[in-house]
Structure formats: structure tokens, C-alpha cells
Amino acid sequence: MKLTFWGAVGTVTGSMHEVGVNGARYLFDCGLYQGRRREAAERNSNFPFRGAHIEAVILSHAHLDHSGNLPTLVKSGFSGPIYATPATADLCAPMLRDSAHIQEKDSEFVNKRHMRRKALDPGATDGAVPPLYGAEDAEATIPLFQAVPEDTDHEVAPGVSYRAYDAGHILGSSSVVLTDRTKGREVRLAFSGDVGRVGLPITRDPEPLPAADYLIIESTYGGRLHKETGLVLNKLANIINRTCQRGGKIIVPSFAIGRTQQLVLALHELFEAQRIPNIPIFVDSPLAVAATEIFRKHTELYDDETNQFVKRGEDPFAFKRLRYVQDVAESKALNDLRGPFIVISASGMCEAGRILHHLRNSIENPRNTVLITGFQAENTLGRKLVDKLPEVSIFGEPMRLRAEVETLNELSGHADQRELLEWMKPFASGVKRVFVVHGEPAQSEAFKQAVQERYKLDVVIPVRGQSFDLN
Ligand SMILES: [Zn+2]
């Protein structure tokens, strides 16, 4: 077996690892690289291989940084199966359609800006930017999904099979173990995907993995320890109450899949306990609306707490003051609505989508609060807000950041250092080599040291393009 790292190395986005087995090439994930625009466009549009040469993709979960570049792969000739759990396959359909729409809008925006510049300076270079992929590419990708349930061996070629285990990160998320029996003896390669946490709302706890010879593991929070999740409701209530007293709005950038549903559940609980004022709450994201429908369908994946709602005959994702906003006119109307109210919108790292309009309308007013609820990659607008830069650019216009910025890392869907080490415990002793990926350099380095110290294992932080023979 030969393993080559192409993405989520030295960074958290663009997850993509190539596995060569018995002459065939497979991919673990095919995610979007997110960061500086030009670098991202370059990285996402150029694969280091021809799409047609890839036999199949095994997808860990629906998040964009793991699945979002599949349409580009299809555009470059890939026509094999995309294996995913049933919930992941369901979630990817609206997600990839939405992503194509964002790509199209994004290139439209860049091209318009370019035309304006060219009008002012006729000497400016030419060159319209095509979208990374469009709606037709997303539509060509969706039929390639093959739903394979968790905890089931699935043969991808004679002597090569994989099995998915619940990773407890978002609905349908999985860790996978690929087994190669083509050389007479078994070689087992485990891929963590994104590892969730014990006690996260909605999802079940991460499932333990069986023995493996090699492990590829994420390290988003490989050098950090999370705060107690139990305090999250208190903190959320405080932020909301404080902002309401000022008459402000609470703008919540949130991943449409996973984080939004967690927030809705948390707000549902606070609202029922009358711990927050009776203010309107909007989920303004067509993708979040579509994703919530899929969450409603997959009750078999809920943890006990969320199942309580179902047993009582209630919908965990609906309550009186909550409104899901789908059409554009209604979304625009929110711009004129005076606070206090809460709006949850995507994209989660503030890179695109309706959240940008809400931020543009809110961040210059100190009454308002921007509530950051998820990991923000380097160079994204979300990261600049977390870092409280005095000025940020939205739609190319400079804006002063005067709103309060709060972060709620307690909802993180990623295991921290201690939790990752615990997750490895059942199978760590048999692992010949650990590959640490999906982290910024300081996080990966800290995690490498922690694994070496605790389990005395051989640990590598691969660089992009690096290959390893696994025997
Ligand atoms: Zn993820």
C-alpha cells in the first residue's frame, strides 16, 4: 500500500489523501482548500493526478473541506463511486449544489470587480475568472455517491475493503479503516476523518476503532484543551441577554451542517427554560434548512438526549420563536429589522453566503454581537473577526469592527488533545506509524509530541506530495 498526502497537511482545509493499492488509486476525501483567494483557486483547480485515474473516493463526512472539491474531480474525469455513509451521502447533495452556487457567485463578483477596475485603468490585465465548478458539475457528482452504512465491511476491489465507524463529529461522520489483503497478509490503514467529542449535542460519541497498522489522524485542536461543554448554555445565555439589554443584534456565522443544528437545539433548551428573552431567532441559510431536513430524517444517529425530544413527539429543531428563512427577499428584509434578534447564517468561516450581508450591516455598531461558534481557518474573514482586527474588508469594502465579538469554542465538533489521545487508546499499541494531518503547524507539532510521549509511537507530520510505503 502506498500513501500520498495532497491536502490538509500543514493546514486544516483541503483534506485529500491518496491510497495506492494493488495498482489502483483511491482517495480519502476530496475537500476544498480554503484560505487566500488566489492560492485557494490555484490549489483547488489543479489536481496532481488525472481524475480518470482515481478508482473510487471514500468520504469521511459532508463538511466542505472534506467533500467540496468532488465536483472538480468529476470535471477532471473521475467517474467512479464515492463511498459515504447514508447521512453523508444525503447531506452532500444540497451541500455540493450550494457550493456550486457559491463558486458561480464568487467568480461573478470577482469578474465584476475586475471590469470596474479595467474601466478605470484600461491597461489592467484581462482575464475573466471561471467558477471552480458550476451547477452542472455538482449535478454530475451527486449520482456517483454510494451509501454504505457504518459498521459494515465494504469491498472496493478484490482483497481491498473498508469499514466506517461513527466519528461523532457531525451527523453521518465517520472514521474509516481500509484493509488490503492482496499481498497475502493484512495491512490496515485507519483514517480518523474529523474526530468528534464525547457528549456533543445530537451526535453519538465517537466509536472506538479496531486494530490498525497505520493511522492518519487530524489535529485541529492537537495542542489545545477545550473548556467544559456543560457551561456552554450559560455562556450562550449571557451573551444573548447582554446584547438584548443593549438593544443589539446577535449575528452568528455558522456551518450550515452540524453547528447550526447544535445551536438550534441549544437555543431551543434556553428558550423553553425561559433563560433568554422572547426575541425572534432566524436561521437564514437555504443550505441549513435543507440540512436540517436530513437531520430530521436520520433519527437513528441521534444521541440519547436528542432522542428524548423524539420520544416526546417533539421536533428538536423547531420551536415557537424560530424561523427558517429560505427566500432571498425574506433574508434581505432582515437587514431592515431592528434588534434585538438572533440570526444564524452561513458560511461558517464568513467566506461567502448570506452571512456577509448580515456582517456588513452589523459590525460597525457596538450594540451588536458577532458570535463565532466554530473553527476559523487562517486568512478567512471569520479568523480576522476572532482576532478582532480593527478593520476588515467585506465585499471588497473596508469596515470598522465595532461590534462585540464573542467565541463559543465549547461547541467545537473537534476533539482536543486529551480527547484525541483517549480516542487512540484502544488501538494505539499496535500502530506502526502515525501520520498527523489537518492542523495548523503548531497544533500538529504539539500533538505529535503528545503521541510520542504517551504511546511511544513513530509519528510523522507529512508535507504536501510526500509518499510512504505501508507494509
Ligand atoms: Zn468536519
Side-chain angles (χ1 to χ4, degrees), residues 24 36 60 88 120 153 189 258 277 289 317 351 375 393 431:
R36 290 196 185 92
S60 65
T88 298
L120 293 172
D153 286 315
L189 169 62
V289 176
F317 307 111
E351 286 294 272
F375 183 81
S393 160
V431 175

Side-chain angles (χ1 to χ4, degrees), residues 417-428:
Q417 184 185 85
R418 190 180 50 81
E419 293 162 333
L420 283 171
L421 290 171
E422 275 307 299
W423 178 81
M424 285 178 65
K425 202 168 148 186
F427 62 98

Side-chain angles (χ1 to χ4, degrees), residues 237-248 250 277 279 340 367:
N238 285 342
I239 294 165
I240 294 169
N241 286 311
R242 189 163 72 226
T243 312
C244 287
Q245 276 158 18
R246 300 196 292 258
I250 299 132
I279 57 169
R367 280 180 208 267

